Amino acid sequence: IRDQCVVDENDRLLIDGQEIAVAYYRSGYAPTDFPTTAEWTGRWLVEKSRAIAVPSLAYHLAGCKKIQQVLANPGVVERFIDDAETAARVRECFVGLYPLDNTSQGMQATRMALHEPHKYVVKPQREGGGYNVYGDDIPKLLTSVSDEERKGYILMDLIRAPPFNSVLVRNGEVVVASVVSELGIYGIFVSDGKNVVVNKQGGHLLRTKAADVSEGGVAAGFAVIDSPLLI
């Protein structure tokens, strides 16, 4: 992007003289995707242009684990949702989310995780499955990283969904297993930085995995795509 794109005086993102309307990030979600300043410069070119970035930098950061943990702090959600009843309904969806930094709350969370690791999951600022830390591996991680490195993680209460029996198709074979499911709701959000143009629900994704599997990413091979049956 840095080498082939430019932003003109009208904030248009251009490549070979053609304006780019939408920049969709198929990658860019892992630290390894930004090994040099060239990648960061390319990202900044898109951000400062009028091209629609999917996701924008702000929307990308909103999905980070640390931002989710901060949103769970008292009074933070209420900054963005004026209606107290609606804010309370949103908070009903939260589980316990804690920092793992050097604050008093972070040190308390670290002690909680070391004392009863099977109650929690430690999450880094990563997506895609395969990066979370569970159970007996939590004390090993927390005692092996530096205080600075520990800030890159958050602690979350482990969600224990009720298992049920279902049929999975894995590697072309039918498998009957005890499973749990996770329903994700897609949101469509378009803004020019000041005004919200579109903000609505845009579909769903139901992921199902074996009940004894901790991770849940489909792309990483831990879960399968499922279909909900509304009763």
Side-chain angles (χ1 to χ4, degrees):
I1 296 174
R2 185 202 65 172
D3 295 336
Q4 299 184 48
C5 294
V6 295
V7 176
D8 70 7
E9 65 278 5
N10 295 314
D11 295 329
R12 298 185 305 164
L13 183 66
L14 304 174
I15 181 169
D16 297 330
Q18 296 294 315
E19 182 176 4
I20 300 171
V22 178
Y24 172 76
Y25 290 100
R26 184 62 185 86
S27 61
Y29 303 94
T32 52
D33 292 327
F34 295 89
T36 71
T37 57
E39 289 76 22
W40 290 108
T41 302
R43 181 69 186 256
W44 175 236
L45 280 175
V46 176
E47 289 297 321
K48 70 179 185 178
S49 76
R50 70 181 191 184
I52 299 174
V54 186
S56 67
L57 186 57
Y59 211 42
H60 189 166
L61 289 174
C64 291
K65 304 298 187 295
K66 184 61 181 180
I67 300 299
Q68 296 169 10
Q69 178 258 303
V70 171
L71 282 172
N73 288 341
V76 178
V77 166
E78 290 74 13
R79 289 177 53 194
F80 304 97
I81 302 177
D82 296 330
D83 183 71
E85 182 178 351
T86 301
R89 291 177 61 191
V90 169
R91 285 197 172 276
E92 288 179 1
C93 301
F94 291 0
V95 298
L97 293 161
Y98 318 96
L100 287 171
D101 51 25
N102 292 327
T103 64
S104 59
Q105 186 184 10
M107 298 304 293
Q108 174 63 23
T110 300
R111 290 191 291 269
M112 289 162 43
L114 292 173
H115 181 59
E116 297 180 293
H118 293 279
K119 288 187 175 182
Y120 305 101
V121 52
V122 172
K123 295 188 171 186
Q125 310 306 308
R126 301 294 299 272
E127 294 293 342
Y131 304 107
N132 297 334
V133 182
Y134 299 84
D136 292 335
D137 290 329
I138 292 178
K140 297 176 185 177
L141 171 71
L142 296 182
T143 55
S144 65
V145 299
S146 67
D147 290 350
E148 188 65 26
E149 290 172 326
R150 197 174 67 246
K151 295 178 183 178
Y153 297 86
I154 69 162
L155 184 71
M156 188 184 89
D157 289 345
L158 183 63
I159 299 174
R160 299 188 182 277
F164 59 96
N165 291 328
S166 188
V167 178
L168 310 178
V169 178
R170 300 296 299 268
N171 299 320
E173 297 183 0
V174 176
V175 179
V176 179
S178 176
V179 301
V180 292
S181 293
E182 176 184 340
L183 179 65
I185 305 299
Y186 288 112
I188 301 173
F189 182 83
V190 180
S191 170
D192 63 5
K194 296 180 180 179
N195 303 300
V196 176
V197 180
V198 178
N199 185 10
K200 65 180 182 179
Q201 183 267 341
H204 66 270
L205 174 67
L206 184 67
R207 300 183 297 184
T208 296
K209 64 179 182 179
D212 59 353
V213 174
S214 295
E215 288 286 0
V218 173
F222 297 106
V224 299
I225 297 177
D226 206 343
S227 300
L229 175 62
L230 301 180
I231 301 177

